[in-house]
Amino acid sequence: MFSDAKILELLVQQKLVHPEQAEKATKESSRTKQPLEHVLIKGGFVTEEDLANIKAGYLGVPYVDLGSYQLDRSLVKLIPESAAKKHGVIPLFTTGTALSVGMVDPQDIMAIDYVRKATGYDVVEPILVSNAGFQKAFNVHYRSVGSVDDIVKSIEKERASAAEESAKAGGSEQTPVSKLVDSLLSQAVHFRASDIHIEPEETRVSVRFRVDGMLQQVSSFPLTILSAVVSRIKILSGMDITETRKPQDGKIHSQLEGRDLDIRVSSFPTVFGENMVLRLLDKQAMLPNLAELGFSKENLDDFTKLIGRSYGIVLVTGPTGSGKSTTLYASLSRLNTEDKNIVTIEDPVEFVIPRIRQTQVNVKAGITFAGGLRGFLRQDPDIMMVGEIRDRETVEVAIQAALTGHLVFSTLHTNDASAALTRLIDIGVEPFLISSSVIGILAQRLVRVNCSKCREKYTPPAVVLADVGLPENSELVRGKGCARCNQTGFFGRTGLYELMIVTDEIKMMVDERRSASDIRKKALEQGLRTLRQDGLEKVLRGVTSLEEVLRVTEIE
């Protein structure tokens, strides 16, 4: 449809690509024999949506970014799945007697003719969409959202027992139950879900996704087909399909939407049937570096200096799901140089980092956090990471390692940084050992980020601003809700951080067994920025909403 020269000419004219970048991309395309468009996108010079928009302007046809477009499910059904895939078309909207259709190639006369005959619309107006946008919309509206109800109907036509036997046969990927499970997985990937909850109720089964830390209702199906769905998931995850009275754990390896996924599966019996939770872990996800986690410049500088120390214990605290593991992985990645021997004991290993020796807890084999740490001390390590401090034995081994010249990272479940020190005392560790080994504590939370597609400015009432300590007439930002963010107003998450360096004064307070509130007061005097303060700074910068920060931080 376009020559490489024409594409570059248009991109340079629109100032999306500099002439030097165009020359570099041309040489790379020639050297690697890869299409120029692929080189431009992979190199980060342009996005696929940029290219589609440029082409639409040249052809004189409209362009739509399907990433932020809400499709009409009734219109999607006008074109069968196989035909939509073959011709690269998807219905968007109608205007009178005309049907507007998203097309990867709006010059495909045969595709337009097919749509005219298949839908009965005499006028078919092509709208250019990117290939990536089409693929995402196709997967969601043909293989996920749009098909769940249809799949459920086909299952209900069978006898429940026959459906269950079909699932237990485990073989055919074409059974309605298999399609339903595959559809839910594809839908979860599209919505960036970290977890899928399949929850039996009195007459129906609720399906909820956890997206950006919050659960969202996405669909439901009759309770009569729960056992078939559960059996299918158990087969995929290597669990015992005959055991329904005890909790079980399993694992699925799958490739969806071009992503390599490990899915951890947990089943739990309830009064209405087995509850299933599936945790999706993207093995190919890029591990963010420290600068991408949301640290303020001051906190990033101080934390970078802290983890650059040669020995001591660095603790990361916060509730489950607050991003502690990601912070630890990013810290280890920063320290991962050829002259360092880094070892970890985790439960489970979520990211594999080259050159780091990572071990997973295996209680049956005798590998516990404490046992793993003790074994690592004989492996000549420089840096050690233990996934979580749960008991006195683990913290005592960690202290032993720190006092013998090792840098040790771990996590602890406390609400703020100062409470971590008193928690270690509560576990049963002598205060002088804590003050001699712990060098810093990072408390953190995750907040949702305002959606960039639907963000809007507003000014809250003066009383609200005064209550949280923000200047009068402060202009804040929030998301209205759009197709991109699934009408939530948020897309992605970032961290709030509270970093406490263990100074000599704080060490003395630990030795004196002073309370967490006293230690916190001293840390504030020494310049500690609280989670709430860090959050309000992000609110003023438009990163997140005021409601989000108030939701995850305590009143100070």
PDB file of all heavy atoms in Angstrom, residues 102-117:
ATOM      1  N   GLY A 102     -13.974  -0.576  10.570  1.00  0.00           N
ATOM      2  CA  GLY A 102     -12.541  -0.462  10.789  1.00  0.00           C
ATOM      3  C   GLY A 102     -11.814  -1.474   9.917  1.00  0.00           C
ATOM      4  O   GLY A 102     -12.158  -2.655   9.915  1.00  0.00           O
ATOM      5  N   MET A 103     -10.795  -1.004   9.153  1.00  0.00           N
ATOM      6  CA  MET A 103     -10.076  -1.876   8.230  1.00  0.00           C
ATOM      7  C   MET A 103      -8.573  -1.646   8.335  1.00  0.00           C
ATOM      8  O   MET A 103      -8.112  -0.498   8.394  1.00  0.00           O
ATOM      9  CB  MET A 103     -10.529  -1.618   6.788  1.00  0.00           C
ATOM     10  CG  MET A 103     -12.003  -1.827   6.536  1.00  0.00           C
ATOM     11  SD  MET A 103     -12.453  -1.601   4.791  1.00  0.00           S
ATOM     12  CE  MET A 103     -11.579  -2.974   4.025  1.00  0.00           C
ATOM     13  N   VAL A 104      -7.816  -2.726   8.357  1.00  0.00           N
ATOM     14  CA  VAL A 104      -6.362  -2.618   8.323  1.00  0.00           C
ATOM     15  C   VAL A 104      -5.922  -2.082   6.963  1.00  0.00           C
ATOM     16  O   VAL A 104      -4.980  -1.296   6.860  1.00  0.00           O
ATOM     17  CB  VAL A 104      -5.712  -3.981   8.624  1.00  0.00           C
ATOM     18  CG1 VAL A 104      -4.191  -3.907   8.475  1.00  0.00           C
ATOM     19  CG2 VAL A 104      -6.091  -4.460  10.026  1.00  0.00           C
ATOM     20  N   ASP A 105      -6.638  -2.493   5.905  1.00  0.00           N
ATOM     21  CA  ASP A 105      -6.359  -2.011   4.556  1.00  0.00           C
ATOM     22  C   ASP A 105      -7.649  -1.441   3.961  1.00  0.00           C
ATOM     23  O   ASP A 105      -8.454  -2.181   3.385  1.00  0.00           O
ATOM     24  CB  ASP A 105      -5.809  -3.133   3.676  1.00  0.00           C
ATOM     25  CG  ASP A 105      -5.497  -2.671   2.258  1.00  0.00           C
ATOM     26  OD1 ASP A 105      -5.626  -1.457   1.992  1.00  0.00           O
ATOM     27  OD2 ASP A 105      -5.122  -3.519   1.425  1.00  0.00           O
ATOM     28  N   PRO A 106      -7.878  -0.137   4.082  1.00  0.00           N
ATOM     29  CA  PRO A 106      -9.130   0.453   3.586  1.00  0.00           C
ATOM     30  C   PRO A 106      -9.238   0.467   2.065  1.00  0.00           C
ATOM     31  O   PRO A 106     -10.278   0.844   1.529  1.00  0.00           O
ATOM     32  CB  PRO A 106      -9.083   1.878   4.139  1.00  0.00           C
ATOM     33  CG  PRO A 106      -7.642   2.167   4.349  1.00  0.00           C
ATOM     34  CD  PRO A 106      -7.016   0.856   4.727  1.00  0.00           C
ATOM     35  N   GLN A 107      -8.188   0.043   1.360  1.00  0.00           N
ATOM     36  CA  GLN A 107      -8.234  -0.031  -0.102  1.00  0.00           C
ATOM     37  C   GLN A 107      -8.582  -1.425  -0.603  1.00  0.00           C
ATOM     38  O   GLN A 107      -8.573  -1.681  -1.808  1.00  0.00           O
ATOM     39  CB  GLN A 107      -6.882   0.399  -0.684  1.00  0.00           C
ATOM     40  CG  GLN A 107      -6.550   1.868  -0.466  1.00  0.00           C
ATOM     41  CD  GLN A 107      -5.239   2.266  -1.107  1.00  0.00           C
ATOM     42  OE1 GLN A 107      -4.226   1.590  -0.940  1.00  0.00           O
ATOM     43  NE2 GLN A 107      -5.251   3.364  -1.848  1.00  0.00           N
ATOM     44  N   ASP A 108      -8.897  -2.336   0.325  1.00  0.00           N
ATOM     45  CA  ASP A 108      -9.234  -3.713  -0.046  1.00  0.00           C
ATOM     46  C   ASP A 108     -10.683  -3.755  -0.556  1.00  0.00           C
ATOM     47  O   ASP A 108     -11.637  -3.864   0.226  1.00  0.00           O
ATOM     48  CB  ASP A 108      -9.055  -4.630   1.162  1.00  0.00           C
ATOM     49  CG  ASP A 108      -9.195  -6.104   0.803  1.00  0.00           C
ATOM     50  OD1 ASP A 108      -9.770  -6.418  -0.258  1.00  0.00           O
ATOM     51  OD2 ASP A 108      -8.725  -6.947   1.587  1.00  0.00           O
ATOM     52  N   ILE A 109     -10.843  -3.660  -1.864  1.00  0.00           N
ATOM     53  CA  ILE A 109     -12.172  -3.624  -2.470  1.00  0.00           C
ATOM     54  C   ILE A 109     -12.944  -4.908  -2.222  1.00  0.00           C
ATOM     55  O   ILE A 109     -14.164  -4.894  -1.973  1.00  0.00           O
ATOM     56  CB  ILE A 109     -12.057  -3.384  -3.995  1.00  0.00           C
ATOM     57  CG1 ILE A 109     -11.290  -2.082  -4.261  1.00  0.00           C
ATOM     58  CG2 ILE A 109     -13.442  -3.318  -4.630  1.00  0.00           C
ATOM     59  CD1 ILE A 109     -11.940  -0.870  -3.659  1.00  0.00           C
ATOM     60  N   MET A 110     -12.243  -6.057  -2.248  1.00  0.00           N
ATOM     61  CA  MET A 110     -12.922  -7.341  -2.029  1.00  0.00           C
ATOM     62  C   MET A 110     -13.498  -7.427  -0.624  1.00  0.00           C
ATOM     63  O   MET A 110     -14.593  -7.957  -0.415  1.00  0.00           O
ATOM     64  CB  MET A 110     -11.947  -8.490  -2.284  1.00  0.00           C
ATOM     65  CG  MET A 110     -11.500  -8.618  -3.739  1.00  0.00           C
ATOM     66  SD  MET A 110     -10.398 -10.030  -4.005  1.00  0.00           S
ATOM     67  CE  MET A 110     -11.510 -11.389  -3.629  1.00  0.00           C
ATOM     68  N   ALA A 111     -12.771  -6.899   0.366  1.00  0.00           N
ATOM     69  CA  ALA A 111     -13.258  -6.920   1.745  1.00  0.00           C
ATOM     70  C   ALA A 111     -14.487  -6.037   1.891  1.00  0.00           C
ATOM     71  O   ALA A 111     -15.466  -6.410   2.551  1.00  0.00           O
ATOM     72  CB  ALA A 111     -12.153  -6.463   2.693  1.00  0.00           C
ATOM     73  N   ILE A 112     -14.449  -4.867   1.275  1.00  0.00           N
ATOM     74  CA  ILE A 112     -15.592  -3.956   1.342  1.00  0.00           C
ATOM     75  C   ILE A 112     -16.825  -4.591   0.694  1.00  0.00           C
ATOM     76  O   ILE A 112     -17.950  -4.506   1.216  1.00  0.00           O
ATOM     77  CB  ILE A 112     -15.254  -2.617   0.657  1.00  0.00           C
ATOM     78  CG1 ILE A 112     -14.161  -1.893   1.451  1.00  0.00           C
ATOM     79  CG2 ILE A 112     -16.498  -1.737   0.529  1.00  0.00           C
ATOM     80  CD1 ILE A 112     -13.649  -0.629   0.783  1.00  0.00           C
ATOM     81  N   ASP A 113     -16.609  -5.267  -0.431  1.00  0.00           N
ATOM     82  CA  ASP A 113     -17.712  -5.933  -1.121  1.00  0.00           C
ATOM     83  C   ASP A 113     -18.291  -7.046  -0.263  1.00  0.00           C
ATOM     84  O   ASP A 113     -19.513  -7.230  -0.196  1.00  0.00           O
ATOM     85  CB  ASP A 113     -17.212  -6.494  -2.462  1.00  0.00           C
ATOM     86  CG  ASP A 113     -18.349  -7.035  -3.311  1.00  0.00           C
ATOM     87  OD1 ASP A 113     -19.326  -6.284  -3.537  1.00  0.00           O
ATOM     88  OD2 ASP A 113     -18.269  -8.204  -3.737  1.00  0.00           O
ATOM     89  N   TYR A 114     -17.422  -7.785   0.440  1.00  0.00           N
ATOM     90  CA  TYR A 114     -17.902  -8.854   1.321  1.00  0.00           C
ATOM     91  C   TYR A 114     -18.770  -8.274   2.438  1.00  0.00           C
ATOM     92  O   TYR A 114     -19.856  -8.791   2.748  1.00  0.00           O
ATOM     93  CB  TYR A 114     -16.737  -9.629   1.942  1.00  0.00           C
ATOM     94  CG  TYR A 114     -17.198 -10.517   3.072  1.00  0.00           C
ATOM     95  CD1 TYR A 114     -17.798 -11.751   2.814  1.00  0.00           C
ATOM     96  CD2 TYR A 114     -17.119 -10.085   4.402  1.00  0.00           C
ATOM     97  CE1 TYR A 114     -18.287 -12.536   3.846  1.00  0.00           C
ATOM     98  CE2 TYR A 114     -17.598 -10.863   5.433  1.00  0.00           C
ATOM     99  CZ  TYR A 114     -18.186 -12.094   5.151  1.00  0.00           C
ATOM    100  OH  TYR A 114     -18.674 -12.861   6.172  1.00  0.00           O
ATOM    101  N   VAL A 115     -18.286  -7.194   3.069  1.00  0.00           N
ATOM    102  CA  VAL A 115     -19.035  -6.586   4.171  1.00  0.00           C
ATOM    103  C   VAL A 115     -20.408  -6.123   3.698  1.00  0.00           C
ATOM    104  O   VAL A 115     -21.415  -6.301   4.381  1.00  0.00           O
ATOM    105  CB  VAL A 115     -18.239  -5.409   4.775  1.00  0.00           C
ATOM    106  CG1 VAL A 115     -19.096  -4.659   5.798  1.00  0.00           C
ATOM    107  CG2 VAL A 115     -16.957  -5.910   5.426  1.00  0.00           C
ATOM    108  N   ARG A 116     -20.470  -5.554   2.492  1.00  0.00           N
ATOM    109  CA  ARG A 116     -21.736  -5.075   1.943  1.00  0.00           C
ATOM    110  C   ARG A 116     -22.730  -6.229   1.804  1.00  0.00           C
ATOM    111  O   ARG A 116     -23.898  -6.106   2.181  1.00  0.00           O
ATOM    112  CB  ARG A 116     -21.478  -4.404   0.591  1.00  0.00           C
ATOM    113  CG  ARG A 116     -22.703  -3.701   0.014  1.00  0.00           C
ATOM    114  CD  ARG A 116     -22.387  -3.059  -1.328  1.00  0.00           C
ATOM    115  NE  ARG A 116     -21.419  -1.977  -1.197  1.00  0.00           N
ATOM    116  CZ  ARG A 116     -20.187  -2.012  -1.685  1.00  0.00           C
ATOM    117  NH1 ARG A 116     -19.769  -3.081  -2.348  1.00  0.00           N
ATOM    118  NH2 ARG A 116     -19.388  -0.983  -1.531  1.00  0.00           N
ATOM    119  N   LYS A 117     -22.260  -7.349   1.280  1.00  0.00           N
ATOM    120  CA  LYS A 117     -23.146  -8.495   1.070  1.00  0.00           C
ATOM    121  C   LYS A 117     -23.515  -9.175   2.386  1.00  0.00           C
ATOM    122  O   LYS A 117     -24.654  -9.602   2.581  1.00  0.00           O
ATOM    123  CB  LYS A 117     -22.476  -9.499   0.145  1.00  0.00           C
ATOM    124  CG  LYS A 117     -22.287  -8.988  -1.288  1.00  0.00           C
ATOM    125  CD  LYS A 117     -21.543 -10.021  -2.127  1.00  0.00           C
ATOM    126  CE  LYS A 117     -21.338  -9.524  -3.563  1.00  0.00           C
ATOM    127  NZ  LYS A 117     -20.562 -10.495  -4.374  1.00  0.00           N
TER     128      LYS A 117
END
